[in-house]
Amino acid sequence: MGNPTGFLNINRNLPEDRDPVLRVGDWKEVHTEMAVSDIQSQASRCMDCGVPFCMAAESAQGPGIAGCPVNNLIPEWNDLVYRGLWKDALARLLKTNNFPEFTGRVCPAPCESSCVLGINAPPVSIKHHEVSIIDRGFEMGWVTPNIPEERTGKTVAVIGSGPAGLACAAQLNSAGHTVTVYERADRPGGLLMYGIPNMKLEKHVVERRIKLMEDEGITFVCNTTIGKDIAADKLKEDFDTVVICTGATVPRDLPVEGRELKGVNFAMEFLGANTKSLMDSELEDGNYISANKKHVVVIGGGDTGTDCVGTSLRHGCEHVQQLEIMPQPTNSRTAGNPWPQYARVLKVDYGQEEAIAIQGDDPRSYLVTTKKFVGDEDGNVKELHTCQIEWQKQDDGRMTPVDVPGSEKVIKADLVLLAMGFLGPEGGVLDQLGVEKDPRSNAQAEYGKYATNVDGVFAAGDARRGQSLIVWAINEGRGAAQAVDAYLMGKSYLPR
Ligand SMILES: Cc1cc2nc3c(=O)[nH]c(=O)nc-3n(C[C@H](O)[C@H](O)[C@H](O)COP(=O)(O)OP(=O)(O)OC[C@H]3O[C@@H](n4cnc5c(N)ncnc54)[C@H](O)[C@@H]3O)c2cc1C
Ligand code: SF4
């Protein structure tokens, strides 16, 4: 801890975001850069606490509740950044996180919710230090392929190239195993590539990492659906182990009257096609669902919904609004959500900030349910019929939404995007391999062990835990790699 009074003398500061009205004119990331000296000064706010809650994803309330899920050595690299020892900071960072360039951009930063300084002052800007370290590492040429000196002769097939599959592949390759990653999309990256839009994570950042992994010796086979183009059993025969990292891609539907109308789409149909068209042709090929000049209604108030808002505004929509069935979060922590837990408070994310700047008000409405969609004579959606709800406690303790009489509303809509979360992984690969599922239809494999009921088959990431976060996918990919290494070699020296 180089500066013992930094937390007293220096206020939290972050790089400014680009003007929302201007940035919707392009697909570049929303943040600007900050002077190196300012980043170093910010890093000196870290108190190097005796118990750094920021770096432990465990707390008195139980595992996974607080802090960084990959246990980043946050106080150590904060101090190294403050002292200008960037290369050492990078080495510490890469010990625990394979892809800080992703988490440093899009992680919701549970670490900052658990920062001890955050109890009575704005927390240390940990996430920004993380991305600054790795971006500087790439800029200076310090991030180079980590090629194993010896190969073990063991082979591993990873199904799915999202952050879980990538982390697993990187770790297993570093242990000398020969890893092939199968991906059904035309480009690797999972939701890093075809889920999270460019303004949150520019795709050259994902491609740079994939290229590095190829240089390390990992093979990527794209345009190949396991279970269809190659039978999952065949993979099991051909490789020593198989790791299922197929994500939780089954979206929650809204089976109300009019769901079949044209213009009612799942969010991922909208977001995925948009990124592909952008990358293939700068949207020239027209192979995407356009929100241009449309009244857009996004159903779902989470991250995916926000990404739909930001994308619709970039298409030049007439108007966008976002409907959420849950109540509006409070502005500060409630008694049931104490420090060091992740703070569930009202946030204005980039998409809402842009809508406020352009339309004049926050696009979100809370406690709203959709009763039906109504279409025109050509079968295109033209309106939503909604009503307000109240959450009422039933005799058995369950909370149930109850309609508020007289609150019915009709909303004009030419495009409706369903962003209500995901139910779990698709069945194909799991069924072909005979992998048991848990009650939520995820692959059944104990956290920390990752082994399924089928010998030599492991599961990690959203396919195992349900839709979650990139940082948890990395945590699971690393953990599964350790389990696979131990399975193949009898013991493992890989870190989690
Ligand atoms: C729109 C959106 C925005 C998000 N924003 C954030 C965010 O800002 N921050 C954050 O931390 N998290 C965010 N998330 C969540 C995060 O992206 C996921 O938790 C994470 O990507 C899960 O990683 P994964 O590797 O388990 O699965 P995925 O990233 O889903 O990757 C699974 C891959 O497996 C492939 N696949 C599936 N079946 C097969 C098969 N049979 N054969 C071959 N390949 C197959 C898929 O094509 C996919 O590429 C977001 C999610 C969405 C949908
Ligand atoms: S990965 Fe997420 S939780 Fe961990 S240090 Fe980075 S921003 Fe914080």
Side-chain angles (χ1 to χ4, degrees), residues 16-26 29-32 314 350 353-354 357-358:
E16 277 187 18
D17 288 348
R18 294 193 291 134
D19 182 334
V21 177
L22 298 179
R23 73 186 188 223
V24 297
D26 62 55
E29 286 177 10
V30 302
H31 307 294
T32 57
R314 278 162 181 75
Y350 79 102
E353 197 188 354
E354 290 163 0
I358 291 162

Side-chain angles (χ1 to χ4, degrees), residues 106 160 162-164 183-184 190-191 200 226 246 307 462 467-468 470:
V106 297
E183 171 55 56
R184 66 181 169 192
L191 291 173
K200 268 162 68 178
I226 302 305
T246 48
D307 292 337
D462 282 6
Q467 179 72 215
S468 182
I470 285 162

Side-chain angles (χ1 to χ4, degrees), residues 262-295:
K262 283 178 267 176
V264 182
N265 296 95
F266 285 119
M268 288 309 297
E269 294 171 326
F270 178 66
L271 295 173
N274 184 70
T275 304
K276 177 157 166 53
S277 178
L278 251 179
M279 295 192 71
D280 287 351
S281 69
E282 292 285 328
L283 299 182
E284 287 297 315
D285 61 14
N287 291 334
Y288 65 99
I289 300 165
S290 175
N292 184 244
K293 296 193 170 47
K294 290 183 181 163
H295 286 87

Side-chain angles (χ1 to χ4, degrees), residues 190-471:
L191 291 173
L192 298 165
M193 177 59 72
Y194 285 138
I196 299 171
N198 294 40
M199 47 278 192
K200 268 162 68 178
L201 176 62
E202 286 182 24
K203 300 311 159 199
H204 64 85
V205 176
V206 183
E207 291 177 322
R208 178 178 64 187
R209 178 56 69 174
I210 301 290
K211 166 81 175 57
L212 196 70
M213 291 177 68
E214 284 173 336
D215 292 348
E216 288 171 343
I218 297 166
T219 304
F220 289 90
V221 181
C222 288
N223 293 309
T224 305
T225 304
I226 302 305
K228 203 169 116 210
D229 300 317
I230 300 176
D233 315 357
K234 174 85 172 66
L235 224 54
K236 188 159 170 355
E237 273 168 38
D238 292 351
F239 290 84
D240 294 315
T241 51
V242 173
V243 190
I244 301 168
C245 296
T246 48
T249 43
V250 178
R252 181 172 284 113
D253 206 345
L254 186 58
V256 296
E257 188 184 326
R259 167 65 182 90
E260 73 292 347
L261 289 165
K262 283 178 267 176
V264 182
N265 296 95
F266 285 119
M268 288 309 297
E269 294 171 326
F270 178 66
L271 295 173
N274 184 70
T275 304
K276 177 157 166 53
S277 178
L278 251 179
M279 295 192 71
D280 287 351
S281 69
E282 292 285 328
L283 299 182
E284 287 297 315
D285 61 14
N287 291 334
Y288 65 99
I289 300 165
S290 175
N292 184 244
K293 296 193 170 47
K294 290 183 181 163
H295 286 87
V296 182
V297 178
V298 179
I299 303 182
D303 276 352
T304 307
T306 300
D307 292 337
C308 290
V309 171
T311 301
S312 299
L313 290 166
R314 278 162 181 75
H315 283 179
C317 66
E318 185 64 34
H319 185 263
V320 59
Q321 58 180 307
Q322 202 177 356
L323 308 181
E324 170 58 53
I325 197 166
M326 299 306 289
Q328 178 170 330
T330 48
N331 287 322
S332 54
R333 289 178 185 273
T334 57
N337 177 218
W339 180 92
Q341 289 181 3
Y342 182 68
R344 293 188 299 276
V345 295
L346 183 68
K347 293 189 186 99
V348 180
D349 207 340
Y350 79 102
Q352 288 95 34
E353 197 188 354
E354 290 163 0
I356 291 167
I358 291 162
Q359 301 178 170
D361 56 3
D362 195 313
R364 293 171 290 188
S365 304
Y366 295 89
L367 296 168
V368 180
T369 189
T370 302
K371 293 300 194 185
K372 65 174 175 181
F373 305 111
V374 175
D376 62 17
E377 57 282 4
D378 297 323
N380 299 306
V381 68
K382 66 170 188 178
E383 57 198 31
L384 267 83
H385 290 225
T386 67
C387 114
Q388 292 292 130
I389 57 119
E390 266 173 17
W391 286 95
Q392 285 181 6
K393 204 173 202 167
Q394 303 305 304
D395 292 342
D396 62 3
R398 277 183 313 123
M399 298 298 285
T400 317
V402 177
D403 295 353
V404 176
S407 66
E408 295 79 12
K409 223 170 136 182
V410 177
I411 302 176
K412 183 173 167 53
D414 315 301
L415 177 61
V416 178
L417 300 169
L418 305 177
M420 300 177 301
F422 297 83
L423 299 174
E426 294 160 42
V429 170
L430 300 179
D431 294 341
Q432 273 195 10
L433 288 169
V435 170
E436 284 172 7
K437 297 173 200 166
D438 70 13
R440 295 184 302 147
S441 80
N442 299 321
Q444 175 85 57
E446 191 183 330
Y447 176 67
K449 297 207 167 122
Y450 303 99
T452 69
N453 58 306
V454 183
D455 184 44
V457 176
F458 296 77
D462 282 6
R464 193 205 69 80
R465 70 184 297 132
Q467 179 72 215
S468 182
L469 296 173
I470 285 162
V471 64

